[in-house]
Amino acid sequence: MLRKSKLKDPRSDVKGIYLMTVVEGLYVQLLLMCVIQMVDMTTLPPVFNPTPLNVTAYVGETATLPCSISNLGSREVIWKKVKEKHALTVGEFVFVKDPSFSVKHIPYRDEWNLMINNIQLKHAGKFECQVSTKENMHRFITLTVSDEPSKNYPEVHISGPKFVERGHPIRLTCNATGSIRPPELIDWFQEGRKIKSNSLGGISISKYMRQETNTLYSELVIRHSDQMDSGTYICRSSEDKITSHDLLVLNGRSANGPSDVLNAQSPVGKRESNIDPDNLPINEDPSKTGNHQSRNRPSHGVFVCVLLISIVLI
């Protein structure tokens, strides 16, 4: 008895060959794209991105000279001052003794900005942002320094009474003047303790600004004074200018009634933690959030390419 032989359908073979051809074609295309991407990472020339070419600053300010470069790769950014032989910086390293110079690297914007702190008239001139390549790749930035606003030195003053009867309100005004623009903040302290607005404690701090005189005004009001509100009041501007004012709360009777009926608040409820007035905290720069060294961070496409190449070798 003869067994029936199982014959393959020729159409299935055609479909299998066609499917394998399509898969192999897609695989080859993907592999070629990965190879091209890896080659581009090493062969694409650096490109300067648009940034301002003229910077103006006033004496005492911090000037930022911008320089943004894409496709930098393993190359370095060099800052020089035109007509000077030696480089100011290479990468993030500073090669001059002047402590005013530094480099701020912002990886996600491809920026290598030259920073000049406490700028002086001698810093004015033309600077060169250069890429360390065989080709002559550079961009010039002109820095102009003006000393006009230096006539207005930062100042801070407190006005208000020296003596206040117990139960009467305390009103102190602090006006802080900036050299170029008004200060951003004014802080109040009493006997080394920082004061903040507290509606329940009867304390309010308000401020307003006058641009034409570069002045920030702050008014401290304590609605019901107590003998523990006596002491030295300190006003400090964001430019670290400080002045003080001595105030004494008298234990007397006012025309409105006996002082012992008045609602006196505990200084603990009014004030925050103790702070040494001779060592008041300085505002920190929020931009200093870490040192990001990620200039040559590999992309996800590179990992895919390595995976495909390893499969081929296997």
Side-chain angles (χ1 to χ4, degrees):
M1 184 175 180
L2 296 176
R3 293 182 180 179
K4 294 182 179 179
S5 59
K6 295 181 179 180
L7 299 176
K8 293 183 179 180
D9 188 353
R11 290 179 296 179
S12 62
D13 292 338
V14 174
K15 290 181 180 179
I17 295 173
Y18 176 76
L19 182 60
M20 288 296 296
T21 304
V22 172
V23 172
E24 290 178 357
L26 292 175
Y27 181 83
V28 171
Q29 289 184 1
L30 183 59
L31 186 60
L32 287 175
M33 290 175 60
C34 291
V35 172
I36 292 172
Q37 181 183 5
M38 295 178 69
V39 172
D40 286 346
M41 291 178 61
T42 58
T43 59
L44 282 178
V47 177
F48 283 101
N49 299 318
T51 54
L53 301 180
N54 294 282
V55 176
T56 301
Y58 296 100
V59 171
E61 280 191 322
T62 297
T64 301
L65 277 61
C67 187
S68 178
I69 306 170
S70 297
N71 307 324
L72 188 60
S74 59
R75 306 171 186 89
E76 296 287 353
V77 176
I78 302 171
W79 275 99
K80 296 176 62 179
K81 192 171 184 180
V82 177
K83 297 181 180 180
E84 289 188 3
K85 296 181 180 179
H86 303 289
L88 298 172
T89 64
V90 176
E92 294 184 84
F93 295 97
V94 180
F95 287 89
V96 291
K97 295 182 179 180
D98 191 342
S100 302
F101 292 99
S102 63
V103 173
K104 185 174 183 180
H105 176 38
I106 307 177
Y108 66 93
R109 291 207 298 245
D110 296 326
E111 291 186 4
W112 296 80
N113 301 328
L114 180 66
M115 312 295 293
I116 309 177
N117 298 319
N118 190 24
I119 198 166
Q120 302 298 318
L121 294 175
K122 64 179 182 179
H123 292 132
K126 183 176 288 188
F127 291 79
E128 178 183 354
C129 177
Q130 187 182 83
V131 181
S132 60
T133 59
K134 295 181 179 179
E135 299 81 9
N136 189 16
M137 289 193 62
H138 59 260
R139 171 171 286 184
F140 296 108
I141 296 94
T142 302
L143 173 63
T144 303
V145 181
S146 175
D147 63 344
E148 292 180 1
S150 62
K151 299 177 182 178
N152 299 323
Y153 295 99
E155 295 179 343
V156 61
H157 299 284
I158 294 180
S159 59
K162 293 282 187 179
F163 304 95
V164 174
E165 291 246 4
R166 181 184 175 188
H168 284 198
I170 297 175
R171 294 181 182 272
L172 299 177
T173 302
C174 177
N175 59 306
T177 303
S179 58
I180 302 168
R181 58 183 64 88
E184 297 179 358
L185 296 172
I186 288 179
D187 292 322
W188 286 95
F189 299 85
Q190 191 259 345
E191 292 299 324
R193 295 182 294 268
K194 189 174 182 179
I195 307 174
K196 284 189 177 182
S197 294
N198 183 353
S199 57
L200 296 178
I203 299 176
S204 64
I205 299 176
S206 58
K207 66 178 182 179
Y208 61 95
M209 188 179 298
R210 293 187 61 182
Q211 294 286 352
E212 61 272 17
T213 58
N214 293 334
T215 305
L216 176 65
Y217 296 88
S218 178
E219 184 181 43
L220 169 66
V221 177
I222 301 176
R223 192 172 55 200
H224 299 291
S225 62
D226 188 270
Q227 283 184 295
M228 290 187 178
D229 292 317
S230 298
T232 300
Y233 286 79
I234 292 176
C235 170
R236 183 191 67 183
S237 72
S238 55
E239 297 186 354
D240 295 330
K241 297 298 179 181
I242 297 176
T243 189
S244 62
H245 179 85
D246 294 326
L247 184 140
L248 178 63
V249 177
L250 303 176
N251 186 18
R253 292 177 178 269
S254 66
N256 294 329
S259 61
D260 56 351
V261 180
L262 297 172
N263 182 19
Q265 300 291 335
S266 169
V268 176
K270 291 183 179 181
R271 312 291 189 257
E272 294 188 343
S273 59
N274 290 335
I275 299 177
D276 184 1
D278 294 328
N279 188 23
L280 296 177
I282 300 174
N283 296 328
E284 296 181 356
D285 184 2
S287 64
K288 297 179 180 178
T289 57
N291 188 14
H292 303 281
Q293 300 292 339
S294 57
R295 181 181 62 186
N296 296 321
R297 185 182 303 166
S299 63
H300 295 291
V302 175
F303 293 112
V304 175
C305 294
V306 174
L307 179 60
L308 290 174
I309 294 172
S310 63
I311 293 173
V312 172
L313 294 177
I314 294 174

